[in-house]
Amino acid sequence: MLLQAMKAATLRNVTGPKRFFSSSARFMDAAHKVVVVGGGSAGLSVSHQLLKSGKFAQDEIAIVEPSPYHHYQPGWTLVGAGLKSREELRRNEKSLVDSKIQLYEDAVTSLAPEQNQVVIGSGEKISYDHLIVASGYVITLDGISGLREALQDEKSNVTSIYTYETVDKVFPKIDQLKEGHAIFTQPGSPIKCAGAPQKIMWLALDYWAKQGLYKKHDPSSPIKIDFATGLPVMFGVPTYSQVLNKLREERGVGGLFQHNLVAIEDQGKTAVFARPDGEKVRKTFDFMHVTPTMAPPEFLKKSTIANEAGFANVDNETLRHVKYQNVWSLGDSSSLPTSKTAAAITAQAPVLVSNLLASLDGREPTAKYDGYTSCPLLTEYGKVLLAEFKYEGTLKETFSKFGINQSKPQRAFYYLKKDFFPWIYYNNMVKGTWAGPKGFFSGIRSFSTSARQMRNTPVRHPRDPLDKNAHATRFPLMSGETFISRTPPSQASSRMSVEASDILFESTNETVNADVATMAPQLRQRHRQARGASKILDEKEIMEVQQLRQKDPYTYTSGVLAKQFGCSPTFISIVAPAPKEVRQARLAETELKKATWGMNKRISRAQRQERRALW
Ligand code: FAD
Ligand code: UQ1
């Protein structure tokens, strides 16, 4: 028994403190304060956020994860579009788990919530005080008859971004299609990232259109495209659905609504769709991108933790199990009635952590999840519509308060999707330091559900640079605030010695005007640079500037053009102002940067703003 258990245990640290051997050397079950089932987006985020609370010792948290690799699945759409490789989005699972967390490289085979235990593949039982179910979705390739065979057949034109095994075949197949009927499917049943089935379609359409292979509303177009969905709409949220349906109509894509793909026949050449009334519709195709059906894993479905649909049955707000008080769930395998995405997990994890910690302290869970989820919908190469909403499909947009229309595909969001999210995911999200639209947090000391509820977060006072400045003079105001004035570096301060003032206002060989002479050395240099760069452009040059700006306003910024033409950036923005869209995109980028500011930066920026207002 001992030998068998030891052999089977593929633990990274077999002699971890929570594994016990009695004096008779009989193998005892392992036990942990928290056991997390699944080391995917949800499992890793929540485990590391718990660890960062500082309330857990070595190996008190354990993750059970059978896969040696972790995948950044949201990037698979980009792989399908030929923008990234599937390998660059994958990491070794072990490398993502903190050494203070015990990793069981095995699968959970059954749950025993009455005994506070899970059973893993080796037969070993692991006891817990709290259990977190984060085991994701299983792709059920057999949910559509003939799909498994068609995907395995190298010669078939059936493909999918939804599995690691097939995702790298998507772009070559898109590239190979020169004419014929292309179909993109979406099942009627729930799936992860409900926007992905059409994202890959919009990108393929763009790719074919750029080569002249797809011509909208043109009967002579070599390629024709249909979007076949089991749902009655393009997207679950009406605001976005309307925009996307308009896009579909404008781009000449056929809409086969309430057409649920049930079979692939005729050696991967005919698709069979079921209509709500049971009617079967057959369509031949030359290319088909299939979104398979998905389901919770078997061990969960058959447990008493699951609801009728097989998902871990938790409260929509607290994320605690409706029956077992020490069982929690988040992510794709939870019953949470929202669109399943990694973005949703950024909002779920802090709630779960806060409530689980409260529960460990004997308090009631009070943090609430509002159903936040998001889907960055690629509508073409270079544009993304950033759908963000909560329960009931109510919009909860991060950037609309800054005047950005999120229903309109924007370039700034494209860079978010393509570059920023993959980066932040591996650098912060799986390490437990990314709270999605709320930016970074370095520890879960307390919890706040919105930027406006900062009062929930511990108050910290980062050092204000003026607080201890020897050259600052303080004026207490009637309002109770203090007005602090510091002599600018360009002025001789009353405390400045004669020698220092000589160094500051050193004379140069150049003829400088009196104003410049009184400037601090750094300012003087900038002033000279600006003056040197104040060449007046002739009409031809201005036209050239305008043309470059029009051609690519993102590359040819006023700074770049000023350098190129030897004039000032202000002059460039007067003669060739950036288009409104570009300004909006830049604003979005700035706002995004702000969204990622940490607490210290937010406070010091607010203090700076207050000082400016007082001036
Ligand atoms: P997963 O990340 O799938 O992790 C589940 C883990 O549980 C896996 O590691 C698995 O091996 C493990 N597991 C399974 N069975 C067991 C068992 N028996 N015992 C122990 N462990 C087990 N989200 C976005 O936010 N934005 C997007 O743009 C986006 N696009 C997407 C595009 C595609 C093509 C896909 C496939 C997904 C996309 N998503 C997107 C969705 C996002 O990837 C998922 O919602 C998210 O990864 C879910 O996290 P999870 O931890 O619940 O599940
Ligand atoms: C997000 O935080 C995230 O994780 C890194 C994604 O990638 C999977 C997303 O797609 C989205 C939309 C978010 C949400 C964050 C913001 C700033 C909207």
Side-chain angles (χ1 to χ4, degrees):
M1 165 73 175
L2 171 65
L3 195 69
Q4 189 195 358
M6 288 188 78
K7 245 193 206 165
T10 45
L11 286 167
R12 191 174 48 184
N13 176 6
V14 187
T15 52
K18 288 286 168 180
R19 295 171 58 78
F20 308 111
F21 292 85
S22 74
S23 52
S24 62
R26 204 171 68 83
F27 181 79
M28 302 282 282
D29 296 327
H32 302 270
K33 253 191 186 170
V34 180
V35 169
V36 182
V37 186
S41 314
L44 288 176
S45 301
V46 84
S47 308
H48 290 106
Q49 286 185 21
L50 278 171
L51 188 67
K52 286 198 183 322
S53 71
K55 305 238 157 131
F56 296 90
Q58 178 75 41
D59 295 335
E60 284 190 336
I61 303 171
I63 298 177
V64 187
E65 170 58 66
S67 170
Y69 292 110
H70 179 96
H71 301 281
Y72 177 66
Q73 299 168 41
W76 287 352
T77 319
L78 304 168
V79 177
L83 293 166
K84 288 196 194 276
S85 74
R86 62 178 184 168
E87 288 79 13
E88 74 186 271
L89 301 173
R90 164 176 104 155
R91 297 282 186 282
N92 223 306
E93 177 73 29
K94 271 194 226 171
S95 73
L96 301 176
V97 179
D98 192 284
S99 58
K100 291 199 184 68
I101 296 175
Q102 178 100 57
L103 173 66
Y104 292 84
E105 296 170 68
D106 206 338
V108 166
T109 49
S110 64
L111 301 170
E114 309 290 352
Q115 287 77 42
N116 296 328
Q117 282 181 333
V118 302
V119 184
I120 61 174
S122 63
E124 193 180 348
K125 289 179 184 139
I126 306 170
S127 302
Y128 58 78
D129 293 345
H130 284 265
L131 176 73
I132 301 177
V133 180
S135 47
Y137 258 130
V138 171
I139 303 289
T140 49
L141 288 183
D142 297 320
I144 296 165
S145 156
L147 174 61
R148 187 183 288 280
E149 297 74 19
L151 287 173
Q152 277 164 0
D153 179 1
E154 290 284 322
K155 288 193 275 347
S156 93
N157 291 325
V158 178
T159 186
S160 182
I161 56 167
Y162 269 85
T163 76
Y164 182 75
E165 289 68 36
T166 54
V167 66
D168 63 333
K169 314 216 170 65
V170 176
F171 186 66
K173 286 196 194 293
I174 290 175
D175 186 44
Q176 275 155 28
L177 188 75
K178 303 296 173 204
E179 61 175 336
H181 183 201
I183 305 179
F184 292 80
T185 75
Q186 172 157 1
S189 49
I191 54 165
K192 51 182 151 187
C193 194
Q198 63 179 293
K199 290 182 203 176
I200 189 64
M201 174 181 75
W202 297 129
L203 291 166
L205 181 152
D206 193 13
Y207 185 77
W208 290 324
K210 282 189 173 122
Q211 295 175 77
L213 296 172
Y214 180 74
K215 298 172 189 164
K216 58 180 181 185
H217 304 295
D218 183 345
S220 76
S221 172
I223 294 176
K224 293 193 173 48
I225 306 176
D226 275 327
F227 185 58
T229 167
L231 303 169
V233 287
M234 286 296 281
F235 197 72
V237 179
T239 311
Y240 303 123
S241 189
Q242 274 158 23
V243 176
L244 294 164
N245 199 40
K246 202 159 157 245
L247 212 61
R248 181 189 66 75
E249 285 168 356
E250 273 167 19
R251 293 179 177 176
V253 172
L256 301 171
F257 293 102
Q258 295 185 301
H259 279 63
N260 207 21
L261 180 70
V262 288
I264 299 168
E265 294 176 347
D266 196 15
Q267 272 126 32
K269 295 212 168 51
T270 305
V272 185
F273 298 96
R275 306 296 321 277
D277 58 6
E279 182 205 351
K280 294 276 163 64
V281 176
R282 288 185 148 71
K283 300 265 176 198
T284 56
F285 62 86
D286 302 283
F287 169 97
M288 183 157 69
H289 178 273
V290 177
T291 303
T293 53
M294 296 164 207
E298 220 33 62
F299 81 89
L300 177 58
K301 275 208 268 187
K302 67 179 190 213
S303 79
T304 51
I305 280 174
N307 66 8
E308 280 139 43
F311 295 99
N313 201 1
V314 292
D315 180 83
N316 293 351
E317 289 183 327
T318 63
L319 278 52
R320 177 150 86 169
H321 195 269
V322 293
K323 179 172 166 209
Y324 304 105
Q325 304 259 300
N326 62 341
V327 176
W328 310 80
S329 182
L330 78 172
D332 294 356
S333 56
S334 70
S335 62
L336 300 169
T338 193
S339 176
K340 303 286 172 69
T341 63
I345 292 163
T346 66
Q348 293 163 4
V351 172
L352 195 158
V353 167
S354 174
N355 287 340
L356 193 151
L357 292 180
S359 180
L360 275 176
D361 284 350
R363 288 179 284 117
E364 270 307 298
T366 50
K368 288 181 177 166
Y369 171 57
D370 61 6
Y372 173 82
T373 188
S374 170
C375 182
L377 260 144
L378 289 141
T379 53
E380 63 191 89
Y381 286 87
K383 292 264 175 81
V384 159
L385 177 160
L386 185 59
E388 283 183 289
F389 50 98
K390 50 186 182 175
Y391 285 142
E392 314 296 341
T394 314
L395 302 197
K396 193 186 182 198
E397 298 182 334
T398 307
F399 303 100
S400 59
K401 52 186 165 290
F402 306 113
I404 297 163
N405 180 0
Q406 291 197 203
S407 303
K408 189 168 171 252
Q410 307 273 358
R411 185 178 285 261
F413 297 149
Y414 176 71
Y415 293 108
L416 271 191
K417 165 78 191 161
K418 185 169 84 65
D419 305 316
F420 181 76
F421 289 146
W423 182 84
I424 207 85
Y425 182 82
Y426 277 124
N427 282 286
N428 296 92
M429 182 166 165
V430 292
K431 292 182 181 166
T433 56
W434 174 246
K438 284 178 207 140
F440 298 104
F441 47 83
S442 52
I444 318 291
R445 270 163 279 220
S446 181
F447 173 73
S448 92
T449 49
S450 87
R452 274 178 287 126
Q453 287 179 354
M454 284 302 189
R455 65 187 114 83
N456 261 347
T457 327
V459 181
R460 283 191 284 155
H461 291 291
R463 197 173 66 83
D464 184 323
L466 282 189
D467 273 355
K468 292 210 163 63
N469 191 305
H471 302 285
T473 318
R474 287 169 170 71
F475 302 95
L477 302 178
M478 299 288 280
S479 63
E481 282 148 320
T482 308
F483 180 76
I484 307 173
S485 153
R486 189 200 58 187
T487 318
S490 55
Q491 297 290 308
S493 140
S494 56
R495 293 162 207 240
M496 194 181 276
S497 67
V498 178
E499 299 83 57
S501 129
D502 278 351
I503 296 164
L504 184 58
F505 304 120
E506 114 225 54
S507 61
T508 64
N509 293 336
E510 291 170 43
T511 326
V512 281
N513 66 32
D515 283 351
V516 179
T518 57
M519 282 180 183
Q522 291 149 316
L523 294 181
R524 260 186 271 165
Q525 201 186 343
R526 280 174 64 177
H527 183 82
R528 282 199 204 99
Q529 272 169 1
R531 276 176 66 94
S534 59
K535 183 186 146 197
I536 308 284
L537 304 192
D538 61 29
E539 252 177 58
K540 208 174 127 235
E541 285 172 316
I542 290 176
M543 266 176 64
E544 215 179 311
V545 165
Q546 286 169 339
Q547 273 163 5
L548 287 172
R549 184 72 129 181
Q550 210 171 17
K551 195 174 105 195
D552 186 354
Y554 291 95
T555 311
Y556 296 106
T557 59
S558 46
V560 167
L561 288 168
K563 225 177 197 174
Q564 193 171 330
F565 287 85
C567 61
S568 74
T570 317
F571 183 74
I572 298 286
S573 45
I574 292 168
V575 296
K580 196 172 148 224
E581 256 185 28
V582 179
R583 276 182 276 130
Q584 275 192 340
R586 292 224 177 98
L587 189 71
E589 275 162 24
T590 316
E591 288 313 327
L592 175 80
K593 265 193 214 143
K594 284 190 190 170
T596 64
W597 284 354
M599 184 69 68
N600 281 351
K601 196 158 181 175
R602 279 169 200 263
I603 295 174
S604 63
R605 289 294 162 116
Q607 284 174 333
R608 188 194 287 179
Q609 247 178 358
E610 268 173 38
R611 278 204 301 275
R612 283 196 178 139
L614 278 164
W615 270 111

